[in-house]
Amino acid sequence: MKLERVLTKLRYDESVSGYALITNDGQPFLSFSLPDEALPPIQGALQIHESSLRLMNIITDAGTVILARVDPEWILGVLFEPAESLGSALQKVKNVARLLEDVTLPPPPAPIEHPISVVSEVGSGTSAAISPAVEENPQPVVMVKAEEWIPSDTIVRYGCVVLPGVVYSDAFMIDSALNIEFKKQFANVGVDILLMVDKKRTVVEIADILSRRVEHVLEVAQWCLQKGVVDVECPEEQETSAREIIELPLFEGKIKKAKKKHRDVLELCDGTRTVYEIAEKLGILHFNALQCIVPYRGNNLRMIRKTRE
């Protein structure tokens, strides 16, 4: 099962306020609406329980967070709405954690000083921990300094497949000149994008997984291409026309039958705006707009796919 498919179970759950994959030292990545105020108590809990953590709940100013280990290097953190019962929240995280055990997760960007060689246990079930894929016959590594890299003149397009570049690993090396420059430009969002580079995903697919604007992913990919952090394979037809596949929600039900807290969003679901555009117009988070739409998908609301220049 793909990582993005598993995380969708959290993204479209109305009881979930936010989530992230978290490293052993408490750094959140692939984060979706996890507020900053939730991080200090999470990091404090990991300092104490990181080596023995399987499944636990902690109280933060933002609400209850459930932490579950999914492999020796990653922990799933999920923030729930106050109305959600602890038992239900624990069960939901256990279910997602089990699914993540079947996913080959990318290695964390920061080196783990004391990796844990354990079997991941969630509840009463046990299964072997997943480690990042390793080539059986690794090829010799050619060391290239970032400053020696000759910038590419390729323009990154929507359908380009993003590949690791010759200095890809340098971007993850803490305190390296390239890492400092990269973090200054794009912060953790840029790292999230690099974590999704798997030699198969296109710019559009990465944007969809991370719920980021395609233009933002293009900006990061173009910068990284110039630095040798990534390489790209682009279909020739894109050289003259770059198109973005977008989804436009169309609500076809009776607005008076919808919940009052959803109506402002549903009224704008007329098949001409994306969820991002609706959220911007109302001045709300993209995640909150999604929460108003999800309950009606498949019934009175459908998504219209179009291409946009």
Side-chain angles (χ1 to χ4, degrees):
M1 186 175 287
K2 291 184 177 181
L3 174 60
E4 56 268 30
R5 187 174 177 183
V6 175
L7 294 181
T8 295
K9 295 182 178 296
L10 296 173
R11 184 182 305 177
Y12 296 139
D13 188 330
E14 285 191 292
S15 66
V16 174
S17 297
Y19 60 82
L21 283 177
I22 304 170
T23 59
N24 286 328
D25 57 357
Q27 296 301 310
F29 293 95
L30 307 181
S31 178
F32 190 78
S33 297
L34 188 67
D36 291 340
E37 58 265 32
L39 292 179
I42 289 175
Q43 292 166 344
L46 291 179
Q47 286 178 2
I48 301 171
H49 303 289
E50 176 257 329
S51 62
S52 60
L53 176 68
R54 297 294 176 274
L55 183 70
M56 69 179 295
N57 67 286
I58 58 175
I59 305 301
T60 74
D61 290 341
T64 299
V65 173
I66 308 298
L67 299 176
R69 182 168 293 286
V70 294
D71 80 358
E73 297 177 331
W74 289 108
I75 296 155
L76 174 66
V78 185
L79 173 66
F80 284 90
E81 292 285 343
E84 186 73 0
S85 70
L86 179 59
S88 175
L90 287 167
Q91 188 60 53
K92 287 180 178 181
V93 175
K94 283 162 64 175
N95 292 340
V96 174
R98 288 194 183 103
L99 293 174
L100 285 173
E101 290 174 356
D102 295 326
V103 176
T104 300
L105 298 175
I112 302 298
E113 294 181 5
H114 303 289
I116 308 168
S117 300
V118 297
V119 172
S120 179
E121 300 179 2
V122 182
S124 59
T126 63
S127 61
I130 301 298
S131 298
V134 179
E135 296 182 21
E136 293 183 3
N137 298 306
Q139 298 299 315
V141 177
V142 179
M143 299 301 293
V144 178
K145 293 182 179 180
E147 57 269 22
E148 296 175 353
W149 174 252
I150 301 175
S152 170
D153 58 359
T154 301
I155 301 299
V156 182
R157 306 290 188 181
Y158 297 93
C160 292
V161 176
V162 187
L163 316 169
V166 293
V167 294
Y168 178 80
S169 60
D170 286 6
F172 292 120
M173 293 178 61
I174 303 302
D175 294 332
S176 70
L178 182 59
N179 176 265
I180 292 171
E181 185 180 3
F182 181 61
K183 282 289 194 73
K184 184 178 180 180
Q185 288 282 337
F186 305 110
N188 276 6
V189 173
V191 178
D192 286 352
I193 292 170
L194 287 189
L195 285 172
M196 289 292 98
V197 173
D198 67 348
K199 303 181 182 180
K200 297 178 182 178
R201 295 188 179 104
T202 64
V203 168
V204 170
E205 289 170 337
I206 291 174
D208 183 58
I209 293 169
L210 298 175
S211 295
R212 298 286 176 184
R213 284 186 172 278
V214 176
E215 291 77 10
H216 193 176
V217 180
L218 282 172
E219 180 186 2
V220 174
Q222 189 69 58
W223 187 93
C224 289
L225 179 65
Q226 302 307 309
K227 300 290 184 177
V229 178
V230 303
D231 197 0
V232 292
E233 291 181 353
C234 302
E236 292 182 2
E237 58 267 24
Q238 290 193 120
E239 294 305 317
T240 56
S241 177
R243 295 186 176 186
E244 176 188 4
I245 299 174
I246 59 173
E247 287 190 333
L248 309 170
L250 175 62
F251 181 68
E252 299 175 309
K254 294 183 178 180
I255 198 70
K256 290 185 178 180
K257 291 187 176 182
K259 291 183 178 180
K260 286 185 178 180
K261 63 180 181 179
H262 297 160
R263 291 178 186 175
D264 288 346
V265 172
L266 294 175
E267 285 177 345
L268 297 179
C269 295
D270 57 2
T272 65
R273 303 178 179 91
T274 65
V275 179
Y276 281 106
E277 291 167 342
I278 291 171
E280 284 188 352
K281 187 173 181 65
L282 295 175
I284 62 177
L285 295 174
H286 172 257
F287 177 78
N288 292 338
L290 266 180
Q291 296 288 63
C292 296
I293 290 172
V294 171
Y296 305 93
R297 290 190 68 168
N299 296 315
N300 298 316
L301 187 142
R302 59 192 176 95
M303 304 300 287
I304 301 173
R305 282 201 162 196
K306 292 185 178 180
T307 57
R308 182 166 63 186
E309 295 291 339

